[in-house]
Amino acid sequence: MNTLNEVSELAAAYDLVVIGAGPAGMAAATLAAGAGVSCLLVDENPAPGGQIYRGIGSTPLTERRLLGEEYWKGAEIASAFAGSAASYLPQATVWQLSPERELGISRGGRTRMIRATRVIMATGALERPFPIPGWTLPGVMTAGAAQILLKTAGVAVSGKVVLAGTGPLLWLIAAQYLAAGKRFDAILDTTPKGSWRKALSELPRFLASPYLRKGLRLMATVRGSARVISGVTALAAEGSDHLTQVRYTVAGRESVIDADHLLLHQGVVPNINMASASGCAIDWDDEQLAFVPRVDAWGATSVGGIAIAGDGAGIAGAEAAAERGRLAALDALAALGRITPEEKARRAAPIRAIVARYDRGRAFLDRLYRPAEQFRVATDATVACRCEEVTGGQIRDVVANLNVLGPNQLKSFLRCGMGPCQGRLCGLTVTETIARTRGVDPAEVGYYRLRAPVKPITLAELATLEHSEAEIKTVARG
Amino acid sequence: MYQRLPEPGGMPIPFTLDGRRLEGRAGDTVAAALLAAGVETCRTSAVGGAPRAPYCMMGVCFECLVTIDGVGNRQGCLVPLQAGMAVETQLGHGKRELAR
């Protein structure tokens, strides 16, 4: 790869721009660059890997067993990308992707507009919002954040630590912490009691998927060495300026446990901000309880020339993400005239077989780890929108009394979703809260209408844009 | 509290927080270096003035906002730590910005 350090080093146009350097983005850029197209991969982080393989080339934790063999699979994808002819711009923010495939890219306070014939968004997933009382207190962070600290800096959350929530990643993070010699005062499992029954019909397909052995091994490791409390139905972080205790309910009985840290996790959902802002159609997925961009079997969105690969187009996991990246790259190569439709189909067949193998286990996981409603919808006193500090009670009040129909109208009254995170940490909560209050489906309520800039940029950055003579004269007087 | 694992870590990187000398390691982001140094609350919220700390560490929550070398509202979890960086917490209601 050819690493770029400044936006001034960017070409004015590329055949393909890939956004995001996780498994999907790295695999897509590697395959496309190998076919000789001009390809740029832009990423926000200092090094390739995305979140799942975060710090893969730079982690101080070289003892492989600490992060597990699954993590080190990322090294192969990252080294293939490093050996490719793709250009790579790290630590950069794509703040705009227009439907015409014009991209606004910032790095180090300077910004450029460039063009792409094809775009593959590989912007991945983020942890599902987990609105419980006190979740804004210092001492509370996502379990994913604790994992990133471990992977990138070799720093572990220590002292009295409580891990709470549900989902496959919860067990992975627990296992990694235990392998690093850390302990948990308690693991509060919020998986609803009836979930096993609901997931049973999907069990045969799950048994044939690669997830089974991995999952059982993780859970056995964790249950063998940590105090796991199942059937948790309510959760609150308490303290004045910092977390001091966690209150939880099991079988109607409330308990309190002292804690310095509470790590929260209840699954991951597609990060749809850029897809939505560039006009891609988004649908509500009731199995994944999330908004998911509408894509075809190649990852192509409803906007011409723009595809999405990896978890950003629906959660399917890291291994599938790399394969979905390759499918989107093949589609781009065919559209660019570099391969024939026949070659595209021929090369895609073995990739599809791998994706199908991982798909087999997904429905089971979605059902088993479907987060309970009380953890998706904020209670009256709980902050739903962290940026603007809007509570569940305020949302219900405005929706019920002022007949507000959706999240965009709600902005006018409460500024919900208008803070710097641009709805990333409240969007799903707000949609579901409105849906429950109105007694309608989340699909009918819809999501925030998102616009560029999809990440905040300063006026000073915008002022670094180059202007043509005509543009300057537009505003000249006399 | 936060602990560094006893693995061979990167080079020590000196920086300051509100004028106080601290040390991170090569490979840290600003947010990771602050947490490792025991600093959690990096700002107070704009609306209610409540203490906030890094929450997602992956650039989506904007809780880790700090001032770095005079530029406000930087996402600490996305900025690699560099020697000599002057990091400032954002406590209070932006008096620094008003004073400019």
Side-chain angles (χ1 to χ4, degrees), chain A residues 204-224:
Chain A
R205 282 165 57 76
F206 177 74
L207 293 178
S209 81
Y211 291 118
L212 176 71
R213 272 187 52 219
K214 179 177 160 186
L216 287 179
R217 195 182 61 228
L218 282 179
M219 287 178 79
T221 312
V222 175
R223 286 187 183 276

Side-chain angles (χ1 to χ4, degrees), chain A residues 159-394:
Chain A
K160 287 177 276 186
V161 184
V162 175
L163 177 65
T166 186
L169 200 57
L170 186 86
W171 300 101
L172 173 64
I173 293 165
Q176 288 172 335
Y177 259 72
L178 292 168
K182 295 289 147 190
R183 50 177 294 281
F184 297 101
D185 287 68
I187 297 179
L188 304 177
D189 184 357
T190 62
T191 310
K193 283 284 187 198
S195 292
W196 274 99
R197 206 178 55 246
K198 288 177 192 151
L200 265 184
S201 62
E202 292 294 335
L203 186 62
R205 282 165 57 76
F206 177 74
L207 293 178
S209 81
Y211 291 118
L212 176 71
R213 272 187 52 219
K214 179 177 160 186
L216 287 179
R217 195 182 61 228
L218 282 179
M219 287 178 79
T221 312
V222 175
R223 286 187 183 276
S225 40
R227 180 177 162 223
V228 180
I229 299 167
S230 302
V232 172
T233 56
L235 204 53
E238 298 179 347
S240 51
D241 283 342
H242 193 280
L243 177 80
T244 53
Q245 61 185 32
V246 177
R247 189 177 296 274
Y248 64 96
T249 306
V250 175
R253 229 187 65 225
E254 217 174 75
S255 308
V256 171
I257 183 168
D258 285 349
D260 303 316
H261 296 280
L262 172 62
L263 309 179
L264 294 173
H265 178 82
Q266 55 175 352
V268 295
V269 294
N271 187 351
I272 60 167
N273 279 52
M274 193 182 298
S276 177
S278 47
C280 299
I282 310 279
D283 298 312
W284 172 256
D285 181 330
D286 206 52
E287 282 286 319
Q288 299 203 337
L289 290 170
F291 286 96
V292 178
R294 194 181 304 160
V295 294
D296 70 8
W298 302 96
T301 68
S302 62
V303 177
I306 298 181
I308 307 178
D311 277 355
I315 305 303
E319 291 90 349
E323 305 303 339
R324 291 156 91 196
R326 293 184 180 109
L327 290 175
L330 286 175
D331 196 37
L333 289 180
L336 291 164
R338 299 298 177 118
I339 57 173
T340 61
E342 292 72 32
E343 185 182 351
K344 174 173 109 166
R346 183 176 54 76
R347 290 174 67 180
I351 300 176
R352 290 208 189 284
I354 302 173
V355 174
R357 215 153 58 83
Y358 283 99
D359 270 355
R360 267 183 233 143
R362 190 49 52 181
F364 177 80
L365 293 175
D366 285 344
R367 287 189 196 176
L368 178 62
Y369 294 122
R370 187 179 174 92
E373 181 175 327
Q374 70 269 26
F375 296 121
R376 310 197 312 266
V377 174
T379 62
D380 280 352
T382 303
V383 166
C385 166
R386 297 171 62 103
C387 296
E388 297 292 333
E389 295 175 80
V390 179
T391 64
Q394 283 175 285

Side-chain angles (χ1 to χ4, degrees), chain A residues 3-7 20-21 41-48 54 88-94 105-110 455 461, chain B residues 28-30 68 74-82 85:
Chain A
T3 304
L4 310 176
N5 296 307
E6 288 181 31
V7 290
L41 192 155
V42 197
D43 189 58
E44 206 168 36
N45 280 299
R54 184 83 179 254
Y88 168 57
L89 181 71
Q91 273 178 263
T93 301
V94 178
I105 303 176
S106 276
R107 175 177 168 151
R110 300 194 73 80
K455 276 276 181 111
E461 272 173 282
Chain B
D28 283 357
T29 59
V30 168
I68 300 174
R74 302 288 310 275
Q75 288 181 276
C77 74
L78 290 179
V79 179
L81 183 70
Q82 277 163 19
M85 264 184 173

Side-chain angles (χ1 to χ4, degrees), chain A residues 154 156 182 242 261 389 455, chain B residues 1 3 5 40 45 48 59 63:
Chain A
K182 295 289 147 190
H242 193 280
H261 296 280
E389 295 175 80
K455 276 276 181 111
Chain B
M1 59 204 257
Q3 267 179 1
L5 297 185
E40 286 188 287
S45 64
E63 295 290 10

Side-chain angles (χ1 to χ4, degrees), chain A residues 146-170:
Chain A
Q147 189 194 35
I148 288 167
L149 266 176
L150 191 68
K151 285 177 186 170
T152 59
V155 170
V157 179
S158 307
K160 287 177 276 186
V161 184
V162 175
L163 177 65
T166 186
L169 200 57
L170 186 86

Side-chain angles (χ1 to χ4, degrees), chain A residues 44-46 51 54 60-63 66 91 125-127 130 135-142 144-146 148-150 152-159 180 182 240-242 260-261 264 271 383 386-389 420-422 424-425 455-456 458, chain B residues 1-10 25-29 31-37 40-63 65 71-82:
Chain A
E44 206 168 36
N45 280 299
Q51 302 309 331
R54 184 83 179 254
L61 304 183
T62 46
E63 202 185 325
L66 287 184
Q91 273 178 263
L126 51 89
E127 289 178 274
F130 204 146
W135 71 311
T136 55
L137 273 177
V140 183
M141 59 164 57
T142 70
I148 288 167
L149 266 176
L150 191 68
T152 59
V155 170
V157 179
S158 307
K182 295 289 147 190
S240 51
D241 283 342
H242 193 280
D260 303 316
H261 296 280
L264 294 173
N271 187 351
V383 166
R386 297 171 62 103
C387 296
E388 297 292 333
E389 295 175 80
C421 96
Q422 296 171 312
R424 289 171 175 90
L425 273 282
K455 276 276 181 111
T458 64
Chain B
M1 59 204 257
Y2 300 84
Q3 267 179 1
R4 282 197 197 267
L5 297 185
E7 285 261 337
R25 298 273 182 87
D28 283 357
T29 59
L34 290 180
L35 292 176
E40 286 188 287
T41 302
C42 56
R43 65 182 192 103
T44 45
S45 64
V47 179
R52 292 289 175 92
Y55 181 74
C56 78
M57 293 298 282
M58 57 173 279
V60 295
C61 77
F62 291 79
E63 295 290 10
L65 297 180
V71 180
N73 295 321
R74 302 288 310 275
Q75 288 181 276
C77 74
L78 290 179
V79 179
L81 183 70
Q82 277 163 19

